[in-house]
Amino acid sequence: MAGNVSDNLKAVQSDIAKACRKAGRAEGTVTLVAVSKTFGAEDIRPALEAGQRVFGENRVQEAHKKWPKLREDYSGIELHLIGPLQTNKVSEALALFDVIETLDREKLARAFAKEREKGADLPRLFIQVNTGEEEQKAGILPEEADGFIKLCRDELRLPVEGLMCIPPVDEEPALHFALLRKIAERNGLSALSMGMSADYETGIELGATHVRVGSAIFGART
Ligand SMILES: *Cc1c(COP(=O)(O)O)cnc(C)c1O
């Protein structure tokens, strides 16, 4: 069960504004992606009522259960996939999501290209970089990022908008955010999805254009 979602949302929005001022950035340069995974429509509706329109989900199946109905009831929703995507779920994901933040391997990039050949409109894409080079985590390794960006953008002509990362839990996130920003800058990519409930202010300080905030809005997940 979520806490007081609209109060939490207001507090997060105000912290984002504060972090923007501190970093000398205009407030509108950061998009809040409210991560509603594991929470039901009854917990999401208060956020929609409060005006929030950008949401993140980590599972195709779960999103499929919740969002078609919510889209009927509220206009202007922008849904981001922030969890791993299997290639056999690509066409379903294209139908559901406006942004896919987890383009993390060549096989998936080629699956997107194939869908477009078949006539599909592709969503905006972020490439996930495994900045901590963690065995268990998805994403392109930092030293392979430039080549992968080239493949996606130049060869496959995918609509790559930016980069995303999830830093290791036990490390200083700032180092990972700075690395992600460096890779984006040298490749001319403008969007950076970095920062979650515990570290979104740090993300903003280091140039995040998107922060993915779940528990600070909806409460602890069970
Ligand atoms: C769950 C999740 C988040 C949100 O995490 P919180 O700590 O609850 O803010 C952000 N990004 C990704 C990729 C996630 O899976």
Side-chain angles (χ1 to χ4, degrees):
M1 194 58 200
N4 191 329
V5 170
S6 67
D7 284 353
N8 294 345
L9 186 60
K10 260 189 223 128
V12 169
Q13 283 164 342
S14 140
D15 285 345
I16 288 174
K18 232 180 279 168
C20 283
R21 278 197 298 278
K22 198 171 145 207
R25 302 179 52 188
E27 231 177 273
T29 59
V30 178
T31 298
L32 170 60
V33 181
V35 176
S36 49
K37 66 186 185 195
T38 78
F39 289 96
E42 70 283 2
D43 293 322
I44 299 171
R45 281 179 193 275
L48 285 158
E49 287 297 325
Q52 178 66 27
R53 284 296 180 272
V54 185
F55 291 85
E57 289 283 346
N58 67 336
R59 293 201 164 136
V60 176
Q61 275 333 102
E62 187 186 339
H64 186 74
K65 282 195 193 121
K66 296 190 277 190
W67 286 95
K69 174 75 175 113
L70 290 169
R71 279 199 201 265
E72 274 176 29
D73 296 347
Y74 298 88
S75 62
I77 288 171
E78 180 180 299
L79 199 57
H80 290 226
L81 178 65
I82 60 166
L85 177 59
Q86 295 168 263
T87 45
N88 64 359
K89 295 226 174 87
V90 163
S91 65
E92 193 180 352
L94 296 191
L96 273 170
F97 293 96
D98 304 288
V99 180
I100 291 177
E101 298 202 16
T102 48
L103 172 48
D104 59 2
R105 61 201 191 279
E106 182 170 339
K107 193 176 171 206
L108 186 57
R110 294 196 181 277
F112 283 133
K114 195 174 260 173
E115 287 297 323
R116 197 202 27 225
E117 272 170 36
K118 290 195 275 179
D121 276 331
L122 294 184
R124 293 147 57 201
L125 300 171
F126 285 62
I127 290 170
Q128 182 176 355
V129 181
N130 186 356
T131 56
E133 305 187 29
E134 293 173 279
E135 198 78 39
Q136 80 284 8
K137 207 166 265 176
I140 302 297
L141 292 173
E143 70 266 26
E144 292 167 1
D146 293 357
F148 187 72
I149 293 166
K150 256 196 206 86
L151 167 75
C152 291
R153 212 174 32 186
D154 305 341
E155 191 179 319
L156 301 174
R157 297 191 329 283
L158 300 179
V160 175
E161 189 172 295
L163 304 179
M164 177 271 222
C165 76
I166 310 169
V169 283
D170 54 353
E171 285 182 31
E172 177 52 58
L175 302 172
H176 296 272
F177 297 161
L179 172 60
L180 195 72
R181 178 183 179 155
K182 211 168 93 186
I183 297 170
E185 274 176 352
R186 70 175 180 241
N187 285 284
L189 290 170
S190 57
L192 285 168
S193 175
M194 52 190 204
M196 321 204 308
S197 289
D199 52 21
Y200 64 91
E201 282 132 319
T202 307
I204 291 169
E205 195 181 312
L206 288 160
T209 59
H210 294 72
V211 290
R212 309 176 309 270
V213 181
S215 46
I217 296 170
F218 294 102
R221 288 179 294 271
T222 47

